[in-house]
Amino acid sequence: MQLKIMPKKKHLSAGGVPLILFLCQMISALDVPLDPKLLHDLVQPPTITQQSPKDYIIDPRENIVIQCEAKGKPPPSFSWTRNGTHFDIDKDPLVTMKPGSGTLVINIMSEGKAETYEGVYQCTARNERGAAVSNNIVVRPSRSPLWTKERLEPIVLQNGQSLVLPCRPPIGLPPAIIFWMDNSFQRLPQSERVSQGLNGDLYFSNVLPEDTREDYICYARFNHTQTIQQKQPISLKVISVDELNDTIAANLSDTEFYGAKSSKERPPTFLTPEGNESHKEELRGNVLSLECIAEGLPTPIIYWIKEDGMLPANRTFYRNFKKTLQITHVSEADSGNYQCIAKNALGAVHHTISVTVKAAPYWIVAPQNLVLSPGENGTLICRANGNPKPRISWLTNGVPIEIALDDPSRKIDGDTIIFSNVQESSSAVYQCNASNKYGYLLANAFVNVLAEPPRILTSANTLYQVIANRPALLDCAFFGSPMPTIEWFKGTKGSALHEDIYVLHDNGTLEIPVAQKDSTGTYTCVARNKLGMAKNEVHLEIKDPTRIIKQPEYAVVQRGSKVSFECRVKHDHTLIPTIMWLKDNGELPNDERFSTDKDHLVVSDVKDDDGGTYTCTANTTLDSASASAVLRVVAPTPTPAPIYDVPNPPFDLELTNQLDKSVQLTWTPGDDNNSPITKFIIEYEDAMHDAGLWRHQAEVSGTQTTAQLKLSPYVNYSFRVMAENSIGRSMPSEASEQYLTKAAEPDQNPMAVEGLGTEPDNLVITWKPLNGFQSNGPGLQYKVSWRQKDGDDEWTSVVVANVSKYIVSGTPTFVPYLIKVQALNDVGFAPEPAAVMGHSGEDLPMVAPGNVRVSVVNSTLAEVHWDPVPPKSVRGHLQGYRIYYWKTQSSSKRNRRHIEKKILTFQGTKTHGMLPGLQPYSHYALNVRVVNGKGEGPASTDRGFHTPEGVPSAPSSLKIVNPTLDSLTLEWDPPSHPNGILTEYILQYQPINSTHELGPLVDLKIPANKTRWTLKNLNFSTRYKFYFYAQTSVGPGSQITEEAITTVDEGKKVRAVNPRISNLTATAAETYANITWEYEGPGHVTFYVEYGVAGSKEEWRKEIVNGSRSFFGLKGLMPGTAYKVRVGAEGDSGFVSSEDVFETGPAMASRQVDIATQGWFIGLMCAVALLILILLIVCFIRRNKGGKYPVKEKEDAHADPEIQPMKEDDGTFGEYSDAEDHKPLKKGSRTPSDRTVKKEDSDDSLVDYGEGVNGQFNEDGSFIGQYSGKKEKEPAEGNESSEAPSPVNAMNSFV
């Protein structure tokens, strides 16, 4: 798929190339670029680039400049018409034309009058390829006529009557802006009762006594001449009925009465508009303003509705206390009946305004320039709309097409000109005029017939550098006729681009919406048409984005200390970043306490005003990044002990160098919390196969922040990192972005492949299946193959699903098989597996071992021998031989109880074995059986044997009873296993002193038939240790021991004392703990206390307790920490208590002082408040001592108060003179060239108010700012077409 140029931006395809080229020729507006490479040999018809507005109001005090600029090749010449006839500028010395331009400059500053040059002007730009014309430019000087002198009688009204104060300003050009003020130039208050209408009149719905005043003044502001005209003040007096009768009697001859309505309450009636219905016409796109002002008592409220419709929500505005309804950007849909409703408590009145929206012509399709090659076809379309429907007319080179020279290549069809088989002589400039009664549109469009091979205007080998994951735009500015097609190629081999990730724009620019690292390379732009081909290479480099991987952090520091902000930047290695620090979005203070290096900003000796927001900005030539942190400065507090903890989790995980089976993981370490990080642990999650399960991936040193990780195919990896220090392991980091590796064939086969039969006629093949991680791709299956090991059969294979076994039926019994299990998936097979050997199912052995022989070795051991069975009779895996043996009868006949059979198995092919653990002096029988995987074969014939006499077991029990002062009685039970005939008992004993030393040993023989013996003549209060055992003819048996003490209290039983520590208790404070315990046992014991942090693996810390105390104090503990503790005894008889756990108390926070509650601070604030109050009083007194206003003084000095244009010397009103011709301005009273009015003595004169560069009026009409120059004229600029302005009656149609 090749990339082709298309008329609109879209994803590209190769289909329909001829149609695309034809559309480009028919409808696209291709302009000849005025590039230096083309100017020397390409011709182009003229194009108007700049012209004055259609309705051009000029300032009569300045030179007249009528603009007309055009481009073309060769450069066009210019001519003008005035009022429809040729304007010969050479005959008028005041008129000049700018060099290389068509702009006229008429010098009326030295002599001449603006009115002389009033008229309709039109510019024509012409060269050898045609002529372009401008709009009709109607030039009119601005006018600000004076108010007609009139005598205004005082107005006297009864309270509650309605009133209209007329303004009727002089008609100026442009119309004046009206506002009402008093003699002090203060805005007259307006409300729902009193308001100014759109015509400038002041309306009173009803008058009140507070309306009485003598200075109702209407002002008219004329912006172009920088003047404000004033109407004579109007006097109004509002009186009661009694006062009105007195006034009529005294002043009947001199008083004019306004209104005759009663002052009683009355329903509303409209002051404007009159009647019940009215009509309003507005042009499309303008602001529709509808007004209803009503009188009545009480004051009416105005409401607006649209009949059969809703008011447009986003374009409807209410002005003048809802008396004016405005709808912006009106269209034909806004036509209809609008109803205003005036309502008060006594009734309501309605007025319907019928609105008709007309439209000056506006473009539907404006004609566009055509660049064609000889023999091609094209069209010019001029389509406009309006109300009424505009008339379309064509001109060629400024001449109506009906009387122009005939051109056989063109055909006119209403609003379309069709060109066919054009030649170079067909080149011309066509004008389309669309006009109706409300205005006209004029557009120039040329037809330029050129035959030019493609040219690429973009510089060769241009290097573009773009940040990764941002759009890349590669330019290929081109020109040619016919219009060339554009193709892009990547790389030096010339392969055309086939990806659908590229977008080609109309101007030839190649856009890569999301540029990646693999987008780097050389791109070739090729432009072709039927006359030739041109190409150009550009180069694209993709850079890594600049990122702040370690941002400065919020800090709270004490005054006088040092603070450091870290800003670690990661950037493309080919870009050099510049790091800049800002404080509160401004430069850092010029103070040596602020120092910066590559990654840090350090502020030493921190002061209170150092608090604020600090921003680190990293800039490269392609991008930038920034991060901020707040510094808060507090009063010094005691330094707390450092807190040691596990590290904070790493962050900012990033995957780079993403390959099929490896990826590089980069991270930023978190805070180590005062213990250096020793290592990082990397885990992964397979979101596809084991979502939520994290497995170990790798471990790296604590100094590394990157790791190259090996990956498996078809795994959706996410990684996380944990840091570890001497305290422990951090919480896991946030998971990285997911990375799905490509599928591949399995790289391993199942493990633990076995073949074992469960029945004599089957073979069960089992294996350990691969997990999802090992599958390497979708569609995991297994190919199972088998054949007999000793035969010549071919392999039998079957493909099974993802299971773990397969059963082969109908096999011979116990036959060896070769087995293979191979993994496969949708991509392919795993490597060929190695064959393993298995066997079909086993059956029970058929033959019993023969020639069983027994040899007695001693009283507890015998040796058995047998002959092996034939291998074929085993019918399975020979697991060994199994001996069953049991005791039949004791030789002493004391134990006739039946003994259960015991079993011994001898693995493999052994033919003899030892029987250990036999009971001496007993009769035994045994048999032997062969064993395979299925079970046991038949038993051999039973064989009996006899064990000789042995030594006895220890006596079953030994008790010491009835202790006296000098005797002890021993009681015992005989041995449970005499293993022969007992001959006697042997008793040995010896004393033990207080230091645990043993005395002389005494031996005593006791007859075998005794079970009780008393020892006499012993020492009183003495501990004795006894050793007691039985004896047969073979020898002595095992002994039993016991200890006892002789005592004075003969009735008290003596028991052994076992030392122990109990009731271990810990009482903890912030950094220490008291440990107590209870001890039972012999005295003279040395204790020790062991303790450590609970839950840690560190060794116990040991403290020796001085003396035999049962308490101890632990010091130097960490606050808020859990400890474990235990107590033990030193020496050979050492023992320890159970563990106890306690927790130290938290560290106590230092006490802080709230400054807002301190007495000195409250007193200081009171003093500051008092000082501010005194300063305000002084300023108020000085303000009230101001002088009179200059304007007021001038009004008092002149009998005629009519206001004239402002002077430029003092900013006050000029003198009025009847001797003048009522000109709007004298020559000598022009404002300065910078159009400003100086302000000197008065701070409140009228000159301080107005509209312009330095001042304006509020919406309510009050002055703000300094009155200044008028707005500059802005010439219309564009591509030879202009929108319709407000109607110009003198010039509605171009022809």
Side-chain angles (χ1 to χ4, degrees):
M1 179 179 68
Q2 295 184 346
L3 302 180
K4 301 293 184 180
I5 188 166
M6 304 184 75
K8 295 185 179 179
K9 172 184 174 181
K10 57 180 68 177
H11 292 279
L12 306 173
S13 64
V17 174
L19 175 60
I20 293 172
L21 185 58
F22 175 76
L23 290 176
C24 291
Q25 295 169 347
M26 292 292 289
I27 66 173
S28 64
L30 177 62
D31 195 6
V32 177
L34 295 184
D35 188 278
K37 301 174 184 177
L38 299 175
L39 285 177
H40 67 284
D41 58 354
L42 283 185
V43 294
Q44 179 179 358
T47 301
I48 301 292
T49 60
Q50 196 170 6
Q51 56 185 316
S52 293
K54 293 179 179 179
D55 191 10
Y56 186 22
I57 300 176
I58 62 172
D59 189 336
R61 300 168 298 179
E62 296 183 352
N63 288 338
I64 303 173
V65 178
I66 309 176
Q67 290 187 327
C68 179
E69 304 290 342
K71 66 179 181 179
K73 182 64 179 179
S77 60
F78 296 89
S79 62
W80 284 87
T81 63
R82 177 184 174 192
N83 297 327
T85 60
H86 177 67
F87 183 36
D88 192 348
I89 62 175
D90 295 331
K91 294 181 179 181
D92 192 336
L94 299 182
V95 182
T96 59
M97 186 182 296
K98 289 185 178 181
S101 165
T103 298
L104 295 182
V105 179
I106 305 175
N107 184 9
I108 62 171
M109 295 289 290
S110 58
E111 57 178 313
K113 295 182 179 181
E115 291 80 358
T116 306
Y117 295 95
E118 188 172 355
V120 180
Y121 291 79
Q122 187 174 38
C123 171
T124 301
R126 187 185 308 275
N127 68 8
E128 62 187 36
R129 285 276 168 156
V133 297
S134 70
N135 292 321
N136 283 334
I137 304 171
V138 180
V139 177
R140 295 184 292 171
S142 62
R143 297 180 178 87
S144 54
L146 301 178
W147 233 294
T148 303
K149 284 193 173 183
E150 57 183 335
R151 176 179 176 82
L152 300 177
E153 299 296 337
I155 301 173
V156 179
L157 287 180
Q158 182 182 353
N159 182 17
Q161 288 186 289
S162 63
L163 173 65
V164 179
L165 296 183
C167 180
R168 303 190 187 100
I171 299 175
L173 186 67
I177 298 173
I178 306 301
F179 49 92
W180 287 81
M181 302 184 75
D182 59 15
N183 276 331
S184 299
F185 309 112
Q186 298 298 315
R187 178 181 66 88
L188 291 178
Q190 297 189 22
S191 63
E192 292 179 344
R193 186 179 60 86
V194 182
S195 60
Q196 177 182 317
L198 294 177
N199 62 354
D201 293 348
L202 190 63
Y203 292 85
F204 293 76
S205 294
N206 51 77
V207 295
L208 299 176
E210 56 262 32
D211 295 329
T212 299
R213 63 189 312 139
E214 297 179 351
D215 54 353
Y216 284 94
I217 306 174
C218 180
Y219 291 91
R221 183 176 67 214
F222 298 93
N223 285 341
H224 267 68
T225 56
Q226 305 287 316
T227 58
I228 297 178
Q229 307 287 7
Q230 172 186 335
K231 184 182 179 72
Q232 289 283 357
I234 302 174
S235 174
L236 171 63
K237 183 176 183 181
V238 181
I239 60 177
S240 65
V241 176
D242 294 338
E243 291 174 325
L244 179 62
N245 292 333
D246 294 341
T247 302
I248 293 174
N251 304 294
L252 187 59
S253 59
D254 331 281
T255 304
E256 180 181 353
F257 291 93
Y258 283 75
K261 296 185 179 179
S262 170
S263 62
K264 295 180 180 179
E265 291 187 350
R266 59 190 181 276
T269 58
F270 283 111
L271 297 174
T272 182
E274 298 178 351
N276 295 328
E277 295 181 355
S278 60
H279 180 75
K280 175 75 172 181
E281 186 176 283
E282 190 56 78
L283 289 183
R284 181 180 187 268
N286 289 352
V287 176
L288 171 65
S289 295
L290 305 179
E291 180 180 57
C292 281
I293 302 177
E295 65 88 18
L297 188 66
T299 302
I301 304 299
I302 304 297
Y303 303 91
W304 292 90
I305 61 173
K306 183 182 181 184
E307 299 178 3
D308 301 327
M310 297 288 292
L311 294 173
N314 297 327
R315 297 185 291 116
T316 301
F317 302 93
Y318 297 99
R319 311 292 185 199
N320 196 18
F321 307 99
K322 295 194 72 173
K323 300 175 186 179
T324 302
L325 170 69
Q326 287 188 343
I327 301 177
T328 60
H329 307 293
V330 293
S331 64
E332 289 83 347
D334 295 318
S335 297
N337 292 332
Y338 292 78
Q339 191 175 99
C340 62
I341 305 167
K343 182 184 297 186
N344 67 7
L346 300 182
V349 63
H350 301 71
H351 184 92
T352 301
I353 306 175
S354 176
V355 174
T356 303
V357 177
K358 299 293 185 179
Y362 56 90
W363 289 120
I364 302 299
V365 178
Q368 302 292 323
N369 296 332
L370 279 179
V371 178
L372 304 174
S373 60
E376 288 188 330
N377 305 325
T379 60
L380 285 180
I381 300 175
C382 175
R383 196 160 295 153
N385 201 0
N387 186 10
K389 186 76 174 178
R391 183 173 60 88
I392 303 295
S393 60
W394 290 94
L395 300 90
T396 176
N397 297 326
V399 177
I401 202 165
E402 295 81 5
I403 62 175
L405 293 176
D406 187 37
D407 184 353
S409 66
R410 72 172 179 240
K411 177 184 178 182
I412 302 174
D413 185 9
D415 59 7
T416 303
I417 300 179
I418 303 172
F419 296 92
S420 58
N421 192 25
V422 296
Q423 302 302 319
E424 188 172 355
S425 60
S426 302
S427 296
V429 181
Y430 290 85
Q431 290 81 34
C432 173
N433 178 266
S435 61
N436 65 12
K437 62 184 291 187
Y438 298 104
Y440 73 92
L441 293 173
L442 175 70
N444 290 276
F446 63 69
V447 176
N448 195 13
V449 181
L450 295 173
E452 293 291 333
R455 306 184 188 192
I456 295 180
L457 309 180
T458 300
S459 300
N461 295 313
T462 300
L463 175 63
Y464 296 91
Q465 295 181 328
V466 177
I467 297 297
N469 297 319
R470 294 186 182 179
L473 297 173
L474 308 183
D475 293 333
C476 181
F478 66 92
F479 177 75
S481 181
M483 179 185 291
T485 59
I486 301 299
E487 291 180 307
W488 279 90
F489 300 85
K490 182 181 179 183
T492 57
K493 295 182 179 180
S495 58
L497 293 176
H498 292 280
E499 301 290 340
D500 59 356
I501 61 173
Y502 302 98
V503 177
L504 188 63
H505 293 263
D506 291 350
N507 61 0
T509 297
L510 177 68
E511 178 182 355
I512 306 174
V514 182
Q516 302 290 340
K517 282 287 189 179
D518 57 3
S519 302
T520 300
T522 299
Y523 292 78
T524 302
C525 166
V526 178
R528 292 187 178 92
N529 68 10
K530 64 183 181 181
L531 300 179
M533 181 268 287
K535 65 179 180 179
N536 185 40
E537 288 186 352
V538 296
H539 308 283
L540 176 62
E541 292 181 356
I542 307 300
K543 306 295 184 180
D544 291 326
T546 302
R547 297 186 296 112
I548 296 179
I549 59 175
K550 178 65 174 176
Q551 299 186 358
E553 297 179 349
Y554 172 81
V556 179
V557 299
Q558 300 172 6
R559 188 185 313 114
S561 61
K562 177 190 293 187
V563 65
S564 175
F565 291 107
E566 183 178 6
C567 180
R568 193 178 306 164
V569 177
K570 185 175 183 180
H571 60 90
D572 192 279
H573 68 279
T574 63
L575 302 177
I576 301 176
T578 57
I579 308 299
M580 180 172 62
W581 288 89
L582 304 174
K583 180 180 182 294
D584 297 329
N585 294 323
E587 294 184 357
L588 291 177
N590 187 14
D591 191 330
E592 60 184 8
R593 296 182 299 108
F594 292 80
S595 61
T596 59
D597 58 16
K598 179 182 179 183
D599 296 327
H600 292 81
L601 166 66
V602 179
V603 184
S604 304
D605 188 20
V606 174
K607 303 182 183 302
D608 288 338
D609 55 1
D610 292 336
T613 301
Y614 289 82
T615 302
C616 161
T617 301
N619 295 297
T620 67
T621 55
L622 298 181
D623 65 344
S624 65
S626 63
S628 299
V630 174
L631 171 64
R632 187 162 68 92
V633 182
V634 298
T637 57
T639 304
I643 298 176
Y644 299 90
D645 201 353
V646 299
N648 291 347
F651 58 93
D652 194 28
L653 273 65
E654 182 182 12
L655 298 178
T656 56
N657 298 337
Q658 297 176 351
L659 304 176
D660 287 348
K661 292 191 177 183
S662 69
V663 71
Q664 179 171 292
L665 176 64
T666 305
W667 63 90
T668 301
D671 197 306
D672 61 9
N673 291 326
N674 302 310
S675 178
I677 296 174
T678 56
K679 65 179 178 180
F680 291 100
I681 299 94
I682 304 170
E683 295 181 335
Y684 73 91
E685 176 197 31
D686 180 4
M688 182 183 302
H689 304 106
D690 293 312
L693 180 62
W694 291 90
R695 302 178 186 272
H696 183 271
Q697 173 77 21
E699 292 184 5
V700 297
S701 166
T703 59
Q704 290 184 231
T705 58
T706 61
Q708 193 73 24
L709 306 178
K710 294 183 178 180
L711 306 180
S712 294
Y714 198 57
V715 176
N716 197 6
Y717 281 98
S718 292
F719 300 96
R720 69 182 187 185
V721 183
M722 293 174 285
E724 188 173 295
N725 61 9
S726 60
I727 307 300
R729 183 174 294 183
S730 74
M731 295 293 290
S733 68
E734 294 290 333
S736 71
E737 61 179 305
Q738 292 186 344
Y739 177 47
L740 176 62
T741 53
K742 293 182 179 179
E745 65 273 5
D747 51 17
Q748 61 181 339
N749 286 302
M751 305 292 291
V753 178
E754 293 182 347
L756 296 173
T758 57
E759 300 295 337
D761 60 348
N762 74 4
L763 171 66
V764 178
I765 303 173
T766 61
W767 60 89
K768 182 179 180 182
L770 302 181
N771 57 35
F773 184 83
Q774 297 168 326
S775 65
N776 287 4
L780 178 63
Q781 294 178 301
Y782 300 99
K783 179 183 177 183
V784 184
S785 305
W786 67 91
R787 71 177 178 88
Q788 289 191 23
K789 178 176 180 296
D790 299 328
D792 297 331
D793 298 342
E794 296 292 331
W795 286 93
T796 302
S797 299
V798 63
V799 175
V800 299
N802 188 11
V803 294
S804 60
K805 72 177 180 180
Y806 182 75
I807 301 176
V808 181
S809 302
T811 61
T813 301
F814 196 64
V815 174
Y817 278 85
L818 293 179
I819 301 167
K820 295 189 294 184
V821 180
Q822 184 179 22
L824 68 148
N825 60 20
D826 291 348
V827 179
F829 285 85
E832 184 68 24
V836 298
M837 190 174 74
H839 287 79
S840 57
E842 303 177 64
D843 207 347
L844 294 176
M846 301 169 55
V847 179
N851 193 21
V852 178
R853 306 176 298 280
V854 180
S855 299
V856 177
V857 178
N858 55 40
S859 61
T860 61
L861 181 66
E863 184 176 10
V864 182
H865 291 260
W866 62 88
D867 291 340
V869 299
K872 291 185 177 181
S873 68
V874 177
R875 297 200 297 181
H877 292 285
L878 176 63
Q879 294 186 356
Y881 291 88
R882 186 170 294 162
I883 301 176
Y884 285 77
Y885 66 98
W886 61 95
K887 187 166 64 172
T888 59
Q889 186 179 4
S890 173
S891 298
S892 63
K893 297 184 181 180
R894 292 183 180 179
N895 188 358
R896 299 179 181 272
R897 181 173 58 88
H898 174 71
I899 302 299
E900 293 184 357
K901 292 182 179 181
K902 297 182 180 180
I903 302 173
L904 277 179
T905 301
F906 298 92
Q907 303 293 332
T909 58
K910 291 185 65 175
T911 58
H912 64 89
M914 308 295 290
L915 299 181
L918 301 176
Q919 187 171 338
Y921 204 55
S922 300
H923 285 287
Y924 282 89
L926 62 82
N927 58 45
V928 183
R929 310 177 192 194
V930 65
V931 181
N932 66 10
K934 185 70 173 178
E936 300 174 349
S940 66
T941 306
D942 291 348
R943 294 285 184 268
F945 63 94
H946 173 73
T947 56
E949 194 174 9
V951 299
S953 62
S956 299
S957 66
L958 175 63
K959 296 185 294 184
I960 301 172
V961 299
N962 301 326
T964 65
L965 184 65
D966 60 352
S967 68
L968 292 171
T969 300
L970 282 69
E971 294 180 353
W972 64 88
D973 290 324
S976 57
H977 297 288
N979 295 334
I981 300 174
L982 297 181
T983 57
E984 60 185 354
Y985 290 101
I986 305 296
L987 174 64
Q988 298 175 322
Y989 62 94
Q990 58 189 149
I992 305 174
N993 62 17
S994 59
T995 61
H996 299 282
E997 294 178 350
L998 299 176
L1001 184 66
V1002 178
D1003 289 344
L1004 179 64
K1005 293 184 178 181
I1006 301 174
N1009 58 350
K1010 299 291 184 180
T1011 59
R1012 179 183 177 94
W1013 195 265
T1014 300
L1015 295 177
K1016 299 181 179 180
N1017 301 320
L1018 301 177
N1019 297 327
F1020 68 92
S1021 298
T1022 302
R1023 178 182 295 275
Y1024 286 90
K1025 188 167 186 178
F1026 299 93
Y1027 312 90
F1028 189 67
Y1029 54 89
Q1031 187 169 298
T1032 64
S1033 60
V1034 177
S1038 301
Q1039 68 179 10
I1040 185 172
T1041 64
E1042 188 58 271
E1043 293 184 11
I1045 302 175
T1046 58
T1047 180
V1048 177
D1049 188 359
E1050 298 181 0
K1052 185 175 181 180
K1053 219 180 261 189
V1054 177
R1055 60 183 178 86
V1057 178
N1058 294 319
R1060 67 189 183 96
I1061 296 173
S1062 61
N1063 295 334
L1064 178 64
T1065 305
T1067 304
E1070 183 178 344
T1071 58
Y1072 63 90
N1074 286 329
I1075 311 300
T1076 60
W1077 62 89
E1078 294 181 3
Y1079 168 70
E1080 297 180 15
H1084 306 292
V1085 177
T1086 300
F1087 298 100
Y1088 61 86
V1089 176
E1090 290 183 322
Y1091 67 101
V1093 177
S1096 70
K1097 298 181 181 179
E1098 63 180 4
E1099 294 184 357
W1100 293 80
R1101 285 173 274 185
K1102 187 174 182 181
E1103 300 286 348
I1104 301 298
V1105 180
N1106 292 329
S1108 59
R1109 295 180 299 177
S1110 60
F1111 61 89
F1112 187 77
L1114 296 177
K1115 300 179 180 179
L1117 304 179
M1118 294 177 61
T1121 305
Y1123 285 86
K1124 57 185 179 181
V1125 64
R1126 66 187 182 188
V1127 178
E1130 295 277 8
D1132 296 336
S1133 59
F1135 50 88
V1136 295
S1137 68
S1138 60
E1139 294 183 14
D1140 191 17
V1141 177
F1142 65 91
E1143 185 172 351
T1144 55
M1148 299 298 292
S1150 60
R1151 185 173 301 171
Q1152 297 185 355
V1153 178
D1154 187 359
I1155 188 173
T1157 62
Q1158 301 301 300
W1160 64 268
F1161 181 80
I1162 296 174
L1164 177 61
M1165 292 297 100
C1166 290
V1168 171
L1170 180 60
L1171 180 59
I1172 293 173
L1173 180 60
I1174 293 172
L1175 290 175
L1176 289 175
I1177 293 172
V1178 171
C1179 291
F1180 182 79
I1181 293 172
R1182 290 175 60 88
R1183 176 70 175 174
N1184 288 342
K1185 290 184 179 181
K1188 296 177 69 177
Y1189 295 100
V1191 177
K1192 180 65 176 175
E1193 292 174 0
K1194 286 183 178 288
E1195 287 183 18
D1196 295 339
H1198 292 277
D1200 186 353
E1202 189 169 9
I1203 303 302
Q1204 300 302 315
M1206 293 182 292
K1207 288 183 175 181
E1208 68 180 16
D1209 55 346
D1210 59 2
T1212 59
F1213 292 114
E1215 299 295 333
Y1216 179 80
S1217 174
D1218 287 334
E1220 295 294 326
D1221 296 329
H1222 297 284
K1223 294 182 181 178
L1225 191 67
K1226 298 179 180 179
K1227 288 288 184 179
S1229 61
R1230 291 185 181 135
T1231 56
S1233 59
D1234 60 359
R1235 295 181 183 144
T1236 60
V1237 179
K1238 295 183 179 178
K1239 174 184 176 184
E1240 295 178 355
D1241 300 332
S1242 173
D1243 289 334
D1244 230 354
S1245 65
L1246 184 62
V1247 114
D1248 293 338
Y1249 307 103
E1251 177 175 285
V1253 177
N1254 300 321
Q1256 61 183 358
F1257 274 76
N1258 279 336
E1259 180 181 309
D1260 56 15
S1262 61
F1263 292 104
I1264 59 172
Q1266 179 178 345
Y1267 194 77
S1268 172
K1270 67 182 179 65
K1271 299 178 181 176
E1272 290 192 18
K1273 301 180 290 289
E1274 295 182 5
E1277 189 173 347
N1279 76 340
E1280 301 82 62
S1281 68
S1282 58
E1283 296 294 336
S1286 58
V1288 179
N1289 295 330
M1291 206 57 193
N1292 285 331
S1293 177
F1294 179 78
V1295 293

